[in-house]
Amino acid sequence: MSANELTSGDFTESGEPFKLFAEWLKEAEASEPNDPNAVALATVDEDGLPNVRMVLLKGFDDDGFVFYTNFESRKGQEILGQRKAAMCFHWKSLRRQVRLRGPVEIVSDAEADAYFQTRARGSRIGAWASRQSRPLESRFALEKAVAEYTARYALGDIPRPAYWSGFRIRPTSIEFWKDQKFRLHDRIEFRRPSPVGAWEKVRMYP
């Protein structure tokens, strides 16, 4: 292996994480077969035991990374309790990964309402019918709830449930990882002391 193979002239020279993330997500949208915005979301409960599951990123900008959920779900309760979370994107087609973590805030009602109205009608009904993360006695019970809310909101707009909204992770750390030969991967981490602080970039050992 030559010295040049250990030196990346592309993403490791980037000075701003949100712009770099936008570039990587755009490339993933062209190469990933399904859901390039899928991301593993990690939370922690009151006992310090972590949970992780896949969600869909629904927006990002310089303020952070947004996803939506039922606040009465397990992840909703854990985030509301701890106000911290972490994400990990893995784009297998590109052999790339992005990790981030930080404090969490609730999006505005206007932002949540606007996104809710973009969802398919069936998905909006589902937000009312599903008591997310709680025991379900049968599939029939879920289908019955869907039928009941479909009848209730047969005409006109479907309002957003008060318990359904969005979270925004405001990262204090964002790490970019790219696979390289012999596990000598490229890693850079952007760090800041608070969600409004200046970024420091650090190159990491694989």
Side-chain angles (χ1 to χ4, degrees):
M1 176 176 287
S2 69
N4 288 337
E5 288 179 290
L6 288 172
T7 303
S8 172
D10 47 59
F11 82 96
T12 61
E13 296 177 2
S14 178
E16 204 289 312
F18 293 111
K19 180 181 178 182
L20 179 57
F21 179 83
E23 293 170 355
W24 277 25
L25 180 60
K26 184 176 180 180
E27 291 183 45
E29 288 170 347
S31 65
E32 286 291 301
N34 293 297
D35 297 327
N37 60 330
V39 57
L41 172 72
T43 57
V44 63
D45 67 16
E46 66 275 11
D47 296 320
L49 191 64
N51 268 312
V52 65
R53 78 289 284 164
M54 301 302 294
V55 300
L56 295 177
L57 180 74
K58 289 300 180 179
F60 77 95
D61 55 24
D62 289 355
D63 290 327
F65 296 76
V66 175
F67 63 97
Y68 292 85
T69 191
N70 184 323
F71 280 10
E72 296 176 354
S73 67
R74 183 169 297 164
K75 63 179 172 294
Q77 290 297 297
E78 289 177 355
I79 291 174
L80 290 172
Q82 309 302 323
R83 296 289 178 144
K84 299 175 183 177
M87 284 180 163
C88 181
F89 297 86
H90 179 235
W91 296 303
K92 190 172 183 178
S93 64
L94 298 173
R95 306 178 77 87
R96 292 175 181 172
Q97 175 179 281
V98 177
R99 296 192 303 151
L100 62 97
R101 61 179 183 165
V104 180
E105 65 183 22
I106 299 171
V107 305
S108 69
D109 286 344
E111 189 174 353
D113 288 341
Y115 170 69
F116 190 74
Q117 292 305 315
T118 69
R119 304 183 87 205
R121 193 172 184 86
S123 295
R124 282 178 277 165
I125 291 293
W128 283 99
S130 176
R131 301 180 70 245
Q132 193 172 340
S133 298
R134 282 157 285 186
L136 173 64
E137 57 270 31
S138 68
R139 182 74 185 182
F140 175 76
L142 176 59
E143 292 172 350
K144 180 181 178 183
V146 169
E148 290 173 351
Y149 282 105
T150 299
R152 179 180 300 183
Y153 296 116
L155 299 173
D157 289 335
I158 302 171
R160 175 177 62 88
Y163 53 77
W164 191 99
S165 188
F167 287 120
R168 176 179 286 106
I169 300 179
R170 304 199 64 192
T172 54
S173 171
I174 307 178
E175 181 191 280
F176 295 83
W177 176 99
K178 188 177 188 308
D179 178 71
Q180 297 290 1
K181 294 180 180 178
F182 307 113
R183 300 185 182 238
L184 299 175
H185 313 305
D186 280 324
R187 290 174 65 187
I188 56 170
E189 183 182 352
F190 292 88
R191 306 169 180 169
R192 57 184 178 179
S194 74
V196 294
W199 291 108
E200 171 194 15
K201 185 177 74 173
V202 180
R203 184 155 187 162
M204 310 290 287
Y205 274 98

